Structure formats: C-alpha cells, structure tokens
Amino acid sequence: MIEIESVTKRYVRNSPPAVDELNLKINDGEVLGLVGLNGAGKTTTIRMIAGILLPTTGRIKVDGFDVVKDKVKATHNVGWIPELPNFEPNAKPLSLMKYFAGFYEPKGDMNKRILDLLDSVGLSNDLNKKLRDYSQGMKKRFAIAESLISDPKNVLFDETLNGLDPEGVKFVRNLIIDLKSQGKGIMLSSHILSEIENLADKVAIIHHGKLIKILDRSDLKNLGRTVIHIEIVDYNPSESILKETLSQFGSFERNDGEIVLRDLTVQDKDIPSILQKLVMKGLTVRKFEPIGESLEEYFFKLIGEKK
Amino acid sequence: MKPIVYEIRRTLTSKFVIIMMIAIVGLSALLAYETASTSTSVGISSQPSVSFGYFINGNNLTMVAYAHDSYGNPVSRVNVYYQYNGTEYIAVSSSNGYANSTFPVDKAPQILIETNYSYRQFGNRITSPSAQYMVNFSSYYSGLQIIPDIVNPSNTSNLGFMVMYIGQNGTPSPPITIIVKATDISSKISDTSNFTYYYNMSSISIAKIYPTISSNNRNMSFLVSAEAANGMPLMLNTGIGKFTPFIDLFKLSIYTPITQSRLQNLVFSGAASILGLFIPILAIFVGYLTYGKDRTSGVLESVLKRPVTRGELITTRFISNALAILIAGSLAMIITDIIYNHYLHMYFSLLFLIDLIWTYLVEGVAFLALVYLISHVVKSQGALLGAAIGIFVVMDLFWGIIPIAVISALGISSTSSSYVTVNILFDYVSPAGYSNLVQSLITGKLGSFGGISINPSTYGITDLALAISGFLWMMVPFALAYILARYRD
C-alpha cells in the first residue's frame, strides 16, 4: 500500500511546484493509473515514491514506512521501472542482478530467481552482453526483471510501455494483471491511455502537479457513454440549424469540420432517429459514427476545461 | 553478493584503476630501480662483476665463473664468454651466479683463456673488456682466491672481500682459516697484537668476510692469508697463473654507508614525485568514473531505489574507491622498499613506510572527496568532468608553480622567512602539498624546493598538525558531500 499525503515537490525554491499538495492512495491489489500531460508531475511523483527524490513537504508511506525517514524499510517493498532505465554500462546482467540482490534479505535460491526473472523477460540469450550493448527495449526488459528481484509488494511502472515492441507491451500488460492478482499495489503511468483505461482500477488525472480528478472503475465504465461523430457533405450548416436539429438529442460541438454530439438524451436503440432527423432537414450525412467516449477524450476535455 | 564486495570488486577491476595501478606501481618501481641501482651517493657500482676459477679433469678444463654484484651476491643472466684456441664457449649465469663451461684443452704448462662477459642494463647490452685468465697445469684446480672490494651491506665495516674456493673436480673447501692482519703501509710490518682477525670456515665455495676495523687502523693496509686445518699455509691463486701466500687489501675508501636518512632522500627525489602526480589522477578519475558519472548520468538511481540510505550508498562507494588508492600507494611503496633493499641492503623503517602510505592515502582520499563533493554540486556529466580536470590541473599539476608566481608577484626574497611561510601555506591549502609537508617534517627541509633547511615546528609543521590536517583533508570534503547526498536530490 502506498499513501501519498499532501506531497509537494519544488525543484527550485520559489518556483512553481512540480507536484502540488498531492494526495493519493494505492491499496494492495489495486492498479492506479496516473495520467497527465508532459510535465504534469507523474514521473516526479513516482520518483519520490521510489526514494530517488525527496519531497519538499508532505509524506509518502509505503506499507506504513516513510520513504524519507525509513527509506530502507519503505523501498524494500517498492519496485520501480523507470521510463528510461539507466544501468552501469560495463556491467553484465547477471553480475548486476546479483549486486542488486545483495541489498535484500535472501529469499530462497536467489541465483535461480535471477535466472528465472531474466528468462521471463526474454533476456536469457543475452546474458553475456554488457548492458551498454542492450537496446532501450532490452534495458527496459532488464529493468522489469531487476525491479522484481525482491518480489516487492508495490510496483511502479513509469511509461513502461514506451519503447517496447508489441510482444513487450503484451508481456507488461499480463505482468500487471498477474501482479494485481497477487495482491500487489501498482502505479501505472502511461501516455497510452487506452491501456490505462483497460488495466487501472482507478485513474488519477494530474495537471501542473495538482490532482484534478480520480476516476474509479464505475467512472471509467461511464466513460463508455456514446458520442456521435457526424460529417455533413458540401454543406456548412449554421449554428441555428444544428441547434434546432441536435440540441434535443444532447450537447454538440464542432471540431475541424466534424460535429461531435455527446451527453445523449436518447437511448442507444433510438440513435437512428438522430440520423433520420438530419436527413429530413435536407442535410447529406457523409459520416454518422456512434462511439463510446474514451479516457483520452475525457482527459482532453477535462484538461481543456482546466486550461 | 554483499554490495560492498561488489563495489570493491567493481572499483578494483575497472580498466582505469588497473591501468593506473600498473602505472603507479610500475613507474615507482622503475624510479626506485633507477635511483637505487645508479646512485652515486653510496659509491657502490651497480654493474655486475665476474670472478673466475677452474678445475681440470683429464683433457677437459672446466672454467668456473661467479657473476656477482658489489655485495658479492649472485647475479643471474650474465653471459660469460671463454675463448680458447679460436673457439668461443658461452655460459649464462644461473640464479646462484655460476656460469661454468667445460671444454677440451691441450696439455701445456700454462694455457691462456680469454674471458669477457655481457649483461643487460636498461635494455642495453653492456659488454666487459676482455681479460686473460692463466690456467697453470701444475695445479688441477684453482683453489683459494681472494676477491677484494666487496661491500658490506650492513655498513659495519669499511673492509670487505670474498673468498672463492674451487677444489678438485669443483669440490668446496676443506676446513681452512682465513687470517687478516693489519699492516703498516710503509713498513709492511703486521701489527698482530691489535689487528689480527681469524675466520674459520669449511665446505665453502663462496664466502664474504667483513672484518670490523676500528678508526685507529683505518690508515693501514691488510694482508690476507690462509691456513689449512693442520696449520700449514695455503697458497692463494692470483688468477694470472701464479700462487702467493699473501694478498694485500686496502680499506674501501669509496664506501659511504647507507642510512635511513639517505634512503628517505632517495625516495623523496624518486618514487615520491611519481606518486604525488599519479595518486591524485587515480583518485580524481576513479571518483568521477565510479560515483560522479553514475550520479550525474542517473545510473546511481538504479542503486538508490534499493533498500539503502543515501548515506550508506555514498559511504560504500567512497570506501571502495579509497581502498583502491590505499592499495596502489601501499603496493608502490612496498615494491619501492624491496627494490631499494635489493640494491642498498636496507629496508625503510616501519615508521617511514607507514608515513609514506599515510601521506599518499591522505592526498588521494582528499582529491577523491573533492570529486564526490563536486558531484553533488554540478548537474551534468560534462561539468563534472571539466571540474575534475580543473582540480587536477590547478591543485595538483601546477600547484608547485602557483606559489612561485605568488612569491614573485609579491616580491618576496627567497632568503626571507616569508618565502618559507608562503610555500608552507600553499602546501596546507591543497592536498597536493601534503607530501611536501611530510617531507619537510621528516627531512627538515622545505619540501617542494628542497635545499632550504628549516625548523619544521617553527612553521607549524608538527606531527599533530599534519595528523589533523590529513584527517581534515580526508573528512571535510567527504562530510560535505555526505550531507548534500542525504539532504539534496
């Protein structure tokens, strides 16, 4: 379990905070998606939990241990996979894994565990290479293996899906599901919002270091509400005609020649009546596409509002 | 694997550390060899000599050559050439110094063997001039020979010689007594009442004798003779086909005893200068490569995320780096000591050896700690590397020149007390000056400009001051780095 209590992080005194009074909680067996634009404070938050950065104010506790005051106990149960893993370039994977393993109390046959982990991430054929000869994707796979060396109770994935091939993405997705099923607390930061939408139990949206919204599973389900994307041929209908035609079915907006109708007042089975109404108004409809609203759409809508 | 073990192994097996250790130990050893083996201050030749003898068996003559240094110790790998009747025979001395060669000879009252020898020094092959050895067929073996001018390594005598015995078929000596009598040079009358020395020996091939002579008889010469066990006099082979009852020896007037003080001066003028340059290079760049670079590039984060505190992490790396410096300095000093002892037959005193190792540990660890401190001040790898190079250039490489410039700019006379004060002040300001301070304390001379005699305590150079200064240089920059590591990202 990870508890973030009123955490603020300023890199430079008197400058705007990278993380501002953030409060979050990740329970055991829960996946928290962390969503935000570049510079929103996602990575800073994760690095503070991992013990790399010191919070300016506030407190972070991992399984009840403060990451600053009780770092050894707190970080014992945190696995962190950074966005751009960076390792001692001249080290070989096995010796480095053994070095890392030395920081933890031995649990069973550590050598076997190391080999199993490297095998599970698909690196068993590259053990004789030095890490400087690994590609970024291989480094990320190695980072996954070394982060799980102590079988931590909490795992932080920071943009882990970036730079992975489709097989790697699938592996990480399954890994997260597996870790969750083992009762581990997981924080997942990613730009691929569809992945977060599928995997997360909760999604925290942060912007300029502040927590804007936390969506739980039911909120995420509601994100699936239907939105209709409409394109009209050779005609640029006036606002009044559109209002007259579409306002009774929900709220609409124009977006690059496309009309987006959301917050529908009719049930899905009655959606064809909207198309019928448009046609009856003499409009030639080129595209009429009812789709569920994604987290991405919701996110940008929310961020847009905040702007 | 315990993290500290990995850190130490990583530091000690990195290419840079290995190369630097080889450079430090190798160059120190080379300088020690150069100063010890060619040192004129002790008046001992570094070149090997060869003493000859023989025995005859039937028609075969075996020429016995003993290659030795000025102390009479065996020297290996000396090529000895014998020419007889236009044929050259070659033998190479083994670890016991012998280079024997057996070849057929004509029966004649006397035969002449041309001999010379060659050896390598600093990569050059040096060949001795030819000499003639006369074999007298009246004796089937060379018997007893006295080889003069053998230096006493323990410095208790100004007189030394070597006894070489080759018996029938090369056998060692029977029981014999060597007698050394002091004689008045002008009258050649031996003064047996006061200055006669007897040495009983048996089964010897080579023996070294150092009679203890008092200051009263140092102006005398010494007659060496020998007796068999039954009291009958033995003849001494002269090597020119003749035998004589006495050999005349003179005291070793060129011999200057080696002392700890002379040894220390040799170290300060030799190996110390190499360590003063290379130990800081090792320290600065090992600190950069194993800590600073890892910190600024983000590699250290892969360790910091483990259950380890920031303080433990920096301390562990610092200790492993300091260990590399300690090993390099200690190895260099111990090998230097062994080389000096090989040539000068005197080891450093334990205190001096500890002083030297401590000195270079302080210098190295201080520079290492400075790099650790800068690693927590600058943010980029390039800035850190630039700062590390800057520290080396200013605080080590040119630190000897900066005081000269300041003294010159201030118009301070080199004979004034201020001159000494400014120099010592600069020695306290940079870790590179620490070895100068230690040198001043030990030798009583201004370290960096040796020659000016000073009373060290007058200028604040005392054991206590240097101990405190050393600890401060090692601990203060590291303590600051430690605090920054703990409380800053």
Side-chain angles (χ1 to χ4, degrees):
Chain A
M1 184 170 69
I2 297 170
E3 296 160 282
I4 300 172
E5 298 168 1
S6 301
V7 166
T8 296
K9 175 67 187 176
R10 284 178 204 276
Y11 285 106
V12 182
R13 197 177 292 174
N14 299 327
S15 66
V19 173
D20 193 1
E21 288 289 323
L22 186 66
N23 288 286
L24 278 176
K25 185 175 179 183
I26 307 166
N27 294 311
D28 293 342
E30 187 176 74
V31 179
L32 174 81
L34 199 57
V35 172
L37 296 173
N38 288 339
K42 305 185 295 291
T43 297
T44 299
T45 303
I46 288 175
R47 284 160 66 85
M48 283 192 288
I49 299 168
I52 304 299
L53 296 176
L54 298 167
T56 308
T57 58
R59 194 161 60 161
I60 297 172
K61 287 198 282 188
V62 177
D63 293 335
F65 297 111
D66 190 300
V67 291
V68 176
K69 292 178 184 162
D70 218 347
K71 180 182 177 293
V72 172
K73 285 179 179 165
T75 49
H76 202 279
N77 272 319
V78 176
W80 168 49
I81 298 117
E83 182 179 7
L84 297 169
N86 206 350
F87 300 105
E88 188 191 323
N90 290 319
K92 287 189 175 177
L94 267 181
S95 62
L96 197 58
M97 286 283 271
K98 285 179 185 172
Y99 166 53
F100 291 153
F103 287 96
Y104 305 94
E105 286 170 19
K107 287 181 186 172
D109 187 347
M110 194 50 104
N111 282 346
K112 184 176 180 306
R113 177 165 177 77
I114 289 169
L115 288 171
D116 287 348
L117 279 169
L118 290 170
D119 186 45
S120 70
V121 295
L123 291 176
S124 51
N125 292 328
D126 300 293
L127 300 184
N128 289 322
K129 286 183 182 173
K130 288 186 173 178
L131 285 161
R132 67 174 177 219
D133 299 323
Y134 272 26
S135 68
Q136 196 58 42
M138 290 165 83
K139 280 184 190 167
K140 197 156 272 190
R141 284 165 183 268
F142 180 74
I144 293 169
E146 58 86 4
S147 296
L148 299 176
I149 204 163
S150 65
D151 193 21
K153 290 180 185 168
N154 304 279
V155 187
L156 314 171
F157 292 87
D158 188 4
E159 302 290 356
T160 306
L161 300 171
N162 285 2
L164 288 178
D165 54 26
E167 191 187 44
V169 171
K170 187 180 170 190
F171 171 78
V172 173
R173 192 187 301 135
N174 291 337
L175 175 68
I176 290 170
I177 292 166
D178 185 42
L179 292 172
K180 174 180 155 67
S181 71
Q182 292 174 35
K184 297 182 190 301
I186 293 161
M187 180 177 267
L188 172 63
S189 142
S190 176
H191 286 120
I192 307 171
L193 299 187
S194 58
E195 288 291 348
I196 286 191
E197 195 176 345
N198 292 331
L199 291 168
D201 298 305
K202 287 192 300 193
V203 175
I205 298 173
I206 58 175
H207 192 56
H208 292 157
K210 283 183 184 294
L211 179 66
I212 296 174
K213 185 101 178 167
I214 293 185
L215 304 172
D216 59 20
R217 201 65 240 175
S218 61
D219 294 328
L220 289 169
K221 273 183 187 168
N222 284 337
L223 283 179
R225 282 184 301 174
T226 307
V227 173
I228 303 171
H229 294 253
I230 304 163
E231 274 182 36
I232 309 292
V233 177
D234 297 332
Y235 182 67
N236 190 13
S238 68
E239 197 69 24
S240 59
I241 293 175
L242 284 178
K243 201 168 182 178
E244 185 184 327
T245 315
L246 296 176
S247 58
Q248 59 184 301
F249 299 112
S251 60
F252 69 91
E253 63 187 68
R254 294 185 188 215
N255 190 0
D256 289 337
E258 192 179 69
I259 298 155
V260 180
L261 182 65
R262 54 164 55 93
D263 303 332
L264 299 185
T265 56
V266 294
Q267 292 191 337
D268 284 357
K269 66 182 176 60
D270 296 324
I271 284 174
S273 65
I274 302 171
L275 177 61
Q276 192 180 11
K277 183 94 178 186
L278 288 167
V279 174
M280 284 174 64
K281 276 286 176 189
L283 301 173
T284 306
V285 178
R286 179 163 64 192
K287 174 179 162 186
F288 186 85
E289 189 178 31
I291 54 172
E293 185 182 43
S294 66
L295 173 62
E296 190 168 300
E297 286 169 309
Y298 180 79
F299 170 74
F300 283 114
K301 187 177 144 193
L302 196 67
I303 295 300
E305 282 171 10
K306 285 288 165 190
K307 279 178 184 174
Chain B
M1 183 189 293
K2 290 281 177 198
I4 182 74
V5 176
Y6 180 90
E7 300 282 9
I8 291 170
R9 196 183 71 179
R10 179 195 175 202
T11 303
L12 295 183
T13 57
S14 78
K15 277 182 194 160
F16 174 76
V17 171
I18 290 171
I19 290 168
M20 284 308 296
M21 279 199 182
I22 291 170
I24 288 169
V25 175
L27 287 170
S28 302
L30 206 62
L31 267 176
Y33 170 66
E34 194 271 335
T35 50
S37 66
T38 62
S39 175
T40 54
S41 62
V42 291
I44 299 167
S45 170
S46 64
Q47 297 173 344
S49 303
V50 177
S51 299
F52 293 96
Y54 70 93
F55 61 89
I56 299 165
N57 189 353
N59 287 332
N60 287 330
L61 168 69
T62 298
M63 285 299 295
V64 177
Y66 177 65
H68 57 90
D69 61 15
S70 299
Y71 300 101
N73 296 320
V75 176
S76 61
R77 287 185 290 180
V78 174
N79 293 340
V80 181
Y81 307 94
Y82 305 97
Q83 281 200 347
Y84 173 69
N85 270 354
T87 306
E88 186 173 73
Y89 303 92
I90 304 172
V92 181
S93 65
S94 57
S95 58
N96 62 11
Y98 285 104
N100 300 354
S101 184
T102 302
F103 45 88
V105 290
D106 300 330
K107 291 232 172 186
Q110 285 186 328
I111 58 171
L112 207 57
I113 309 293
E114 287 273 345
T115 65
N116 70 325
Y117 57 92
S118 70
Y119 54 92
R120 284 197 167 275
Q121 192 171 51
F122 298 121
N124 291 325
R125 180 152 293 283
I126 297 168
T127 304
S128 73
S130 290
Q132 291 183 328
Y133 190 89
M134 187 75 79
V135 175
N136 194 333
F137 263 70
S138 64
S139 174
Y140 271 53
Y141 52 92
S142 54
L144 196 60
Q145 290 183 94
I146 302 296
I147 295 132
D149 296 341
I150 298 298
V151 175
N152 178 10
S154 58
N155 310 320
T156 55
S157 173
N158 280 64
L159 182 65
F161 60 92
M162 191 163 66
V163 175
M164 182 177 177
Y165 187 90
I166 296 158
Q168 196 163 14
N169 291 324
T171 52
S173 74
I176 54 172
T177 302
I178 301 292
I179 303 158
V180 181
K181 290 180 179 178
T183 60
D184 185 278
I185 295 171
S186 55
S187 64
K188 290 271 183 185
I189 297 168
S190 76
D191 183 349
T192 54
S193 58
N194 289 322
F195 308 115
T196 303
Y197 309 90
Y198 295 92
Y199 295 89
N200 296 318
M201 49 186 66
S202 180
S203 288
I204 59 110
S205 296
I206 293 288
K208 290 169 275 185
I209 295 175
Y210 307 108
T212 306
I213 56 173
S214 66
S215 55
N216 293 334
N217 56 3
R218 282 197 178 154
N219 289 325
M220 304 183 91
S221 70
F222 300 88
L223 284 177
V224 181
S225 59
E227 287 178 357
N230 59 8
M232 292 292 288
L234 286 171
M235 299 298 275
L236 305 174
N237 191 327
T238 59
I240 51 171
K242 291 180 180 173
F243 292 86
T244 176
F246 295 105
I247 294 274
D248 216 355
L249 294 184
F250 292 92
K251 71 185 176 76
L252 301 173
S253 58
I254 56 165
Y255 181 57
T256 311
I258 185 77
T259 61
Q260 273 295 319
S261 170
R262 296 175 74 90
L263 200 59
Q264 288 164 4
N265 282 328
L266 282 177
V267 174
F268 285 127
S269 64
S273 57
I274 282 293
L275 288 180
L277 181 70
F278 279 77
I279 287 281
I281 296 179
L282 170 68
I284 288 169
F285 291 101
V286 83
Y288 167 75
L289 290 170
T290 62
Y291 187 78
K293 189 179 169 191
D294 279 5
R295 194 188 128 66
T296 48
S297 68
V299 167
L300 214 57
E301 291 177 0
S302 66
V303 185
L304 189 57
K305 69 178 182 177
R306 314 285 156 197
V308 60
T309 65
R310 291 150 183 269
E312 285 167 356
L313 181 57
I314 186 173
T315 306
T316 311
R317 294 230 165 172
F318 189 73
I319 288 171
S320 65
N321 289 175
L323 192 64
I325 294 164
L326 178 65
I327 290 172
S330 303
L331 271 181
M333 278 300 121
I334 289 168
I335 289 173
T336 299
D337 195 10
I338 291 168
I339 291 171
Y340 277 127
N341 180 63
H342 177 77
Y343 286 99
L344 306 177
H345 291 265
M346 183 178 278
Y347 282 113
F348 300 155
S349 70
L350 184 62
L351 185 64
F352 181 61
L353 186 64
I354 292 170
D355 276 348
L356 285 175
I357 293 172
W358 163 258
T359 300
Y360 293 106
L361 181 69
V362 167
E363 270 199 32
V365 170
F367 277 112
L368 178 70
L370 284 173
V371 172
Y372 270 58
L373 176 59
I374 295 168
S375 300
H376 285 275
V377 175
V378 300
K379 296 287 180 193
S380 77
Q381 221 171 302
L384 177 61
L385 184 60
I389 292 170
I391 283 180
F392 169 68
V393 170
V394 176
M395 295 186 77
D396 186 44
L397 194 60
F398 291 131
W399 198 248
I401 296 171
I402 293 170
I404 299 173
V406 171
I407 284 165
S408 179
L410 295 175
I412 297 170
S413 162
S414 63
T415 55
S416 69
S417 175
S418 304
Y419 176 84
V420 177
T421 305
V422 171
N423 272 301
I424 290 172
L425 204 62
F426 269 90
D427 284 340
Y428 270 113
V429 170
S430 166
Y434 193 74
S435 56
N436 291 334
L437 295 173
V438 173
Q439 186 177 339
S440 296
L441 183 69
I442 291 174
T443 63
K445 289 182 177 175
L446 192 58
S448 52
F449 301 95
I452 300 176
S453 292
I454 59 165
N455 180 359
S457 60
T458 307
Y459 294 94
I461 304 175
T462 60
D463 285 324
L464 183 65
L466 290 194
I468 292 171
S469 161
F471 273 113
L472 288 177
W473 263 122
M474 290 195 289
M475 297 317 298
V476 171
F478 176 69
L480 292 172
Y482 183 91
I483 290 166
L484 290 176
R486 277 203 67 176
Y487 300 109
R488 277 182 59 173
D489 293 329

